Amino acid sequence: EDKVVQSPLSLVVHEGDTVTLNCSYEVTNFRSLLWYKQEKKAPTFLFMLTSSGIEKKSGRLSSILDKKELFSILNITATQTGDSAVYLCAVEDGSGTYKYIFGTGTRLKVLA
Amino acid sequence: EPEVTQTPSHQVTQMGQEVILRCVPISNHLYFYWYRQILGQKVEFLVSFYNNEISEKSEIFDDQFSVERPDGSNFTLKIRSTKLEDSAMYFCASSVLEEGTQYFGPGTRLLVL
């Protein structure tokens, strides 16, 4: 059965800390791995990763994929209170239509 | 910047009633999806739609559910006879390509009483 597992489930840090969020997966026909940030409602797109070892960066956020070990990490440096959200990992399953399989998310709370 | 929109933002309905959730995907996108998220649980795939046909559906998407693209812009999810367990946030998403990034709408929170 396809699954995506995220850890930790929740995390509380102080502003300025660096956090690492983990996502491991087992998918029959892997196409890509995506990270989303979910605040009040809809997931907003952060990164799409398709190749191992290539870091994607956007400001203080970065992510990398390891297709051999079947995991990805999302790093946030110098965290701010605005980073407080649920971070979702989704894996795109290419068998059939390219549906996403989501993990349960990591709830990050950044304290001032 | 183009975005996926959904209406209504909130809907409260009685068990057994029909509801229609509406989505307007990004205009040049060709692939459409519905997901749901029960409170406190993970986002789950319901159905994907392309070229006026369902491409794939999950086991959640039973005979009570249907999707339609009634015109060139709207994409709807109908629940024929709502159950208490249908209470959830329903997200619409769209993508340009089959393997392209999916962009999500703001969601419709459905509460079935």
Side-chain angles (χ1 to χ4, degrees), chain A residues 25 63 67:
Chain A
Y25 62 90
S63 184
K67 289 168 75 173

Side-chain angles (χ1 to χ4, degrees), chain A residues 36 38 42 97-100, chain B residues 35 37 55-56 98 102 105-106:
Chain A
Y36 284 85
Q38 186 178 28
T97 308
Y98 296 88
K99 66 179 185 285
Y100 288 359
Chain B
Y35 292 81
Q37 185 177 33
S55 306
E56 189 171 0
E98 189 172 20
Q102 294 175 25

Side-chain angles (χ1 to χ4, degrees), chain A residues 4 31-32 34 36 38 40-43 45 48 88 92 95-100 102-104, chain B residues 9-10 33 35 37 42-43 45 48 55-56 89 91 98-107:
Chain A
V4 177
R31 291 280 312 183
S32 62
L34 299 95
Y36 284 85
Q38 186 178 28
K40 297 270 172 63
K41 285 188 175 179
F45 173 74
M48 175 189 268
L88 299 173
E92 195 171 14
S95 50
T97 308
Y98 296 88
K99 66 179 185 285
Y100 288 359
F102 279 85
T104 50
Chain B
S9 58
H10 293 80
Y33 312 83
Y35 292 81
Q37 185 177 33
K42 65 180 180 181
V43 178
F45 169 77
S48 58
S55 306
E56 189 171 0
M89 180 74 91
F91 294 109
E98 189 172 20
E99 64 270 27
T101 301
Q102 294 175 25
Y103 292 89
F104 285 79

Side-chain angles (χ1 to χ4, degrees), chain B residues 16-85:
Chain B
Q17 295 295 305
E18 175 185 285
V19 296
I20 298 176
L21 310 183
R22 290 184 167 79
C23 168
V24 179
I26 295 173
S27 62
N28 63 331
H29 287 193
L30 300 176
Y31 297 84
F32 314 116
Y33 312 83
W34 282 101
Y35 292 81
R36 78 168 186 196
Q37 185 177 33
I38 295 171
L39 188 64
Q41 298 186 25
K42 65 180 180 181
V43 178
E44 300 171 292
F45 169 77
L46 292 177
V47 65
S48 58
F49 191 87
Y50 169 71
N51 200 27
N52 285 318
E53 286 185 348
I54 290 175
S55 306
E56 189 171 0
K57 59 184 181 180
S58 71
E59 58 197 26
I60 302 167
F61 194 89
D62 61 22
D63 292 344
Q64 293 297 316
F65 291 89
S66 63
V67 288
E68 196 177 34
R69 188 151 161 84
D71 52 45
S73 58
N74 288 284
F75 178 51
T76 62
L77 174 69
K78 183 193 289 187
I79 309 175
R80 266 181 265 285
S81 177
T82 49
K83 304 188 284 281
L84 297 177
E85 54 265 38

Side-chain angles (χ1 to χ4, degrees), chain A residues 29-71:
Chain A
N29 188 2
F30 175 87
R31 291 280 312 183
S32 62
L33 185 146
L34 299 95
W35 285 96
Y36 284 85
K37 179 182 181 182
Q38 186 178 28
E39 294 174 270
K40 297 270 172 63
K41 285 188 175 179
T44 53
F45 173 74
L46 295 176
F47 298 111
M48 175 189 268
L49 304 157
T50 54
S51 302
S52 274
I54 298 173
E55 187 182 48
K56 293 267 181 108
K57 287 196 73 151
S58 176
R60 296 176 293 102
L61 277 66
S62 64
S63 184
I64 197 161
L65 173 67
D66 186 329
K67 289 168 75 173
K68 185 179 173 189
E69 299 297 328
L70 307 183
F71 79 91

